[in-house]
Amino acid sequence: MEYTHYYDSPLGKILLASDGHALTGLWFEGQKYFAAKLDPDHEEKNLPVFGQAEQWLALYFNGKIPDFTPPLSMKGTPFQKEVWEELLAIPFGQTTTYGKIAAEMAEWRGLASMSAQAVGSAVAHNPISLIIPCHRVVGTNGSLTGYAGGLEKKKWLLTMERQAAGIVV
């Protein structure tokens, strides 16, 4: 059974999902792939993991770097999970590119190259936005490309993080 809970953020409602123990989803209401991996038979319930996620989100939206991560359970292919693990390593206030992630993953696997588009697809299907920071991935030239929550939200999130981290742009 899966459970859901809503959180009101400065950027609109966020739907949280859980398997009862770990967070399985975090989507801005109406975003692309909204609740894509959510079991149709779910019920709204307040769980401890939702309290942890709300604490994390409150810190984050107040420009603070959360010093913990709620328990996560990523639903996806092995490749998607590898990409999402890479996203977790992107520091607050910083960005990387799809191509850089692809090159790093190719190197670990001993491959000559890997498709940045394949990485982009995995990033786009990240079911736990914000906590798994897919908004920190940009195009090769630094352009704000692709964000399931919308480019205005991506711009807001990156600007907030850079200001909070004292990064001058």
Side-chain angles (χ1 to χ4, degrees), residues 81-90 101 104-105 108:
K81 290 177 184 180
E82 276 185 63
V83 171
W84 301 336
E85 287 291 340
E86 273 299 294
L87 301 181
L88 285 166
I90 306 168
I101 292 172
E104 289 172 0
M105 290 180 69
W108 299 331

Side-chain angles (χ1 to χ4, degrees), residues 124-137:
H125 287 85
N126 168 21
I128 308 175
S129 295
L130 298 176
I131 294 175
I132 299 176
C134 50
H135 62 280
R136 294 181 188 151
V137 184

Side-chain angles (χ1 to χ4, degrees), residues 137-169:
V137 184
V138 297
T140 302
N141 62 358
S143 62
L144 299 185
T145 60
Y147 183 59
L151 290 181
E152 283 304 311
K153 284 183 177 77
K154 183 172 186 163
K155 182 177 180 181
W156 189 96
L157 294 166
L158 292 174
T159 300
M160 179 277 294
E161 287 186 15
R162 288 177 181 144
Q163 289 173 344
I167 299 169
V168 179
V169 282

Side-chain angles (χ1 to χ4, degrees), residues 26-90:
L26 189 159
W27 305 274
F28 283 106
E29 192 168 67
Q31 79 173 48
K32 191 173 184 181
Y33 310 118
F34 178 77
K37 302 216 182 265
L38 183 62
D39 184 340
D41 294 326
H42 62 275
E43 68 180 60
E44 190 153 337
K45 187 175 184 178
N46 201 359
L47 299 169
V49 70
F50 293 145
Q52 292 173 320
E54 286 186 343
Q55 269 187 308
W56 191 99
L57 290 165
L59 287 167
Y60 176 80
F61 281 117
N62 282 301
K64 297 182 171 81
I65 302 170
D67 61 354
F68 69 97
T69 302
L72 305 176
S73 178
M74 298 179 234
K75 294 182 187 177
T77 67
F79 177 75
Q80 287 174 324
K81 290 177 184 180
E82 276 185 63
V83 171
W84 301 336
E85 287 291 340
E86 273 299 294
L87 301 181
L88 285 166
I90 306 168

Side-chain angles (χ1 to χ4, degrees), residues 84-116:
W84 301 336
E85 287 291 340
E86 273 299 294
L87 301 181
L88 285 166
I90 306 168
F92 183 92
Q94 296 183 30
T95 59
T96 192
T97 67
Y98 300 97
K100 186 174 179 185
I101 292 172
E104 289 172 0
M105 290 180 69
E107 186 177 326
W108 299 331
R109 292 177 169 201
L111 302 173
S113 66
M114 180 175 286
S115 165

